[in-house]
Amino acid sequence: DLERRLGEVVKEACSRYGYGGMRLSQERGGYVVNVSLRRFHGNPRDLSEELYVEAVSHFPELSNRLRFWIDRR
């Protein structure tokens, strides 16, 4: 299941930011991943790009089909 496998990658990459979970939804032939973080104070765009690169390294079939949004709690 994609959400579970992708969740493992995202959790590992975000554990230092107080990872609070993620939600995967489909949108226009691709996917949007909302990542909930409790201790992230950096630039969300930079982290989104890092997560994209990490995710595509594990799942090359998602190249150009994945967007990340960072939700700070």
Side-chain angles (χ1 to χ4, degrees):
D1 152 68
L2 177 62
E3 187 165 8
R4 181 187 55 76
R5 293 182 301 137
L6 188 57
E8 292 170 4
V9 172
V10 172
K11 182 178 182 177
E12 170 108 9
C14 293
S15 62
R16 66 188 180 275
Y17 300 125
Y19 178 74
M22 64 155 254
R23 190 175 69 253
L24 180 69
S25 54
Q26 285 191 285
E27 181 181 282
R28 288 177 287 193
Y31 297 95
V32 175
V33 183
N34 291 80
V35 181
S36 177
L37 302 174
R38 291 185 293 274
R39 294 188 307 268
F40 180 72
H41 304 292
N43 183 333
R45 178 180 223 144
D46 291 344
L47 181 58
S48 293
E49 290 173 5
E50 288 176 32
L51 289 173
Y52 174 82
V53 168
E54 185 68 21
V56 169
S57 77
H58 286 84
F59 308 103
E61 67 275 14
L62 295 179
S63 181
N64 297 317
R65 296 183 58 216
L66 201 55
R67 292 186 315 143
F68 284 89
W69 291 99
I70 307 303
D71 300 325
R72 294 183 266 197
R73 307 265 174 219

